[in-house]
Amino acid sequence: MIHLTRLNGQGFVLNPDLILKAETTPDTIVTLVDGTRYVVEEPLDVLAERVLRYRASVVAVARELTSAGQGVGPVDADTADVGAPASHQPPAPKVAVLRPRRG
């Protein structure tokens, strides 16, 4: 989530994966995939930097979990032992490499 500020000074957090586009006219307007629009105080370059940092943090956490042997596959919340070491958790699903069809 990224922190943004409405023009009235009220702060809120936004899932950057829902952003369809952002534009400056002269205020920064963020349009979400469902058509919702937010006018925010942050300039376009600050918004872009926050989205970039958010996405980089997601990749960094995924790499950290993978290198720690914890995997990042789906987990059944009803049966998973969250506090258990990685060796006691179900194995991560195998990944199938998809390639375009030939022909």
Side-chain angles (χ1 to χ4, degrees):
M1 303 293 262
I2 59 172
H3 293 268
L4 297 173
T5 310
R6 297 177 196 257
L7 289 182
N8 66 3
Q10 181 182 12
F12 69 104
V13 293
L14 179 68
N15 180 348
D17 294 330
L18 299 178
I19 296 175
L20 176 65
K21 66 178 180 176
E23 54 192 318
T24 302
T25 61
D27 297 321
T28 304
I29 301 172
V30 180
T31 305
L32 306 185
V33 293
D34 68 355
T36 304
R37 290 181 169 196
Y38 293 103
V39 181
V40 297
E41 287 183 359
E42 290 79 9
L44 199 55
D45 58 336
V46 171
L47 175 65
E49 179 65 26
R50 289 182 186 175
V51 170
L52 182 66
R53 286 182 181 274
Y54 166 78
R55 293 200 174 146
S57 72
V58 169
V59 171
V61 169
R63 285 185 179 168
E64 183 179 310
L65 290 173
T66 302
S67 67
Q70 294 179 3
V72 292
V75 176
D76 183 358
D78 295 330
T79 60
D81 184 3
V82 176
S87 62
H88 291 87
Q89 292 183 0
K94 296 189 183 211
V95 177
V97 179
L98 301 177
R99 294 188 175 94
R101 289 185 186 183
R102 295 181 184 175

